[in-house]
Amino acid sequence: MSHHEADRLLEPRWRVPALVVLHLAALALLATWLWPPLRASWDRLDAATFALLNAPLAGKGAWAYAWGIASMRAFDLAVALVMLAVLIKGDLAFAAGRVRQAFYAFAAILVLLLAIRTAVFAPLVAQMRWQRASPSLTVKGAVLISELFPGWTGLLHMKDSSSRAFPGDHASVLMLWALFVSAFAAGWRRWLVWGLAALFAMPRLVAGAHWLSDVLVGGTLLALVTIAWGLCTPYAARAVALLDRVATPILLRLGRLPGLSRLAFFTRP
């Protein structure tokens, strides 16, 4: 995507056709999960994926240690830092002069995701009784990482189970990030973003904290609706303008500090 086309995505205007298409895509995705014949296919895929990824943990080898570390809450911080780096590293996904606006826009859209998740989707899931427990709690013989490494759980919380697995909250953030960056980036950068999103979603699937459809249906559904209201309305553009007035003077002052002076995020006017 050219810089001019990318800039247009942050113009304060309504993009009704794109807004409708994204909502239809979200509804179609949800329909595949709700319609019994296709739901049966999702259930089989969920079970097969969990068996493929979780069963090797029983050997307590390198596979178990690697995903045990990746299932720690602290690992989520590392993931967040990588996601942040992609947003603010000049000339990676965004031109150096646009990284601050990209960060502002994503931060605003992330807030929107939390609002939609809390105020709209969570009550809907409860009302429609779509909620379910994770595979680690429901599949007989499931290997729990917290039981493989009991000494780790006292110091570092490990995410390997959930009584409320749908949708995948962690996955919705990853999908939102990937969709957002993909709206501006192109070529190998887009492939990189989606590869990272898939990799970062894996720990929850291996550990059994979520079913595959919690990620691909629930997480993607929330991300599609959020990106629609974030980028296809004036919301993101106005949030960027507000944050630019409030936060940019502070960031420019921070940019005078050693180390930060090399980052376009802190130094570009």
Side-chain angles (χ1 to χ4, degrees):
M1 177 178 291
S2 69
H3 293 327
H4 177 68
E5 291 172 329
D7 286 343
R8 291 181 61 188
L9 288 175
L10 292 179
E11 291 177 356
R13 63 187 181 89
W14 288 84
R15 299 170 181 83
V16 176
L19 184 71
V20 172
V21 168
L22 288 170
H23 278 80
L24 289 176
L27 287 173
L29 182 61
L30 180 61
T32 68
W33 191 72
L34 295 177
W35 191 41
L38 290 179
R39 176 59 180 268
S41 298
W42 273 116
D43 290 344
R44 287 192 294 271
L45 183 59
D46 280 341
T49 302
F50 178 66
L52 176 68
L53 298 177
N54 182 260
L57 294 175
K60 205 175 180 179
W63 181 264
Y65 277 94
W67 294 111
I69 293 171
S71 296
M72 296 176 180
R73 287 291 192 182
F75 187 77
D76 289 346
L77 176 60
V79 169
L81 291 175
V82 172
M83 294 167 64
L84 176 63
V86 171
L87 287 172
I88 70 172
K89 176 66 172 70
D91 299 320
L92 180 56
F94 301 93
R98 294 173 172 82
V99 291
R100 193 181 298 117
Q101 286 70 31
F103 172 77
Y104 292 157
F106 181 71
I109 293 174
L110 184 59
V111 171
L112 183 61
L113 170 68
L114 297 177
I116 292 173
R117 170 71 175 84
T118 303
V120 180
F121 202 68
L124 178 63
V125 168
Q127 180 67 30
M128 301 302 293
R129 298 183 179 180
W130 294 341
Q131 195 52 266
R132 59 182 177 174
S134 64
S136 59
L137 298 179
T138 55
V139 176
K140 185 177 180 180
V143 181
L144 271 73
I145 289 179
S146 57
E147 294 180 355
L148 281 182
F149 306 106
W152 293 7
T153 57
L155 297 174
L156 299 166
H157 179 66
M158 305 180 74
K159 180 67 174 180
D160 65 354
S161 64
S162 175
S163 60
R164 302 169 61 84
F166 184 85
D169 292 338
H170 179 255
S172 66
V173 174
L174 289 174
M175 291 296 185
L176 181 69
W177 172 76
L179 284 171
F180 176 79
V181 177
S182 295
F184 297 90
W188 66 268
R189 293 171 177 83
R190 186 174 290 172
W191 286 105
L192 172 65
V193 166
W194 282 104
L196 289 173
L199 177 64
F200 295 155
M202 282 287 287
R204 301 292 201 274
L205 298 175
V206 174
H210 290 286
W211 301 94
L212 180 64
S213 59
D214 295 334
V215 173
L216 296 184
V217 177
T220 304
L221 168 66
L222 271 172
L224 285 171
V225 172
T226 304
I227 208 75
W229 286 101
L231 290 182
C232 300
T233 72
Y235 172 80
R238 290 176 178 170
V240 167
L242 174 62
L243 290 171
D244 196 45
R245 289 196 301 271
V246 174
T248 296
I250 299 173
L251 295 177
L252 292 177
R253 289 188 179 90
L254 290 175
R256 300 170 186 170
L257 299 175
L260 299 182
S261 59
R262 296 183 179 181
L263 298 177
F265 181 73
F266 292 97
T267 58
R268 290 296 180 103

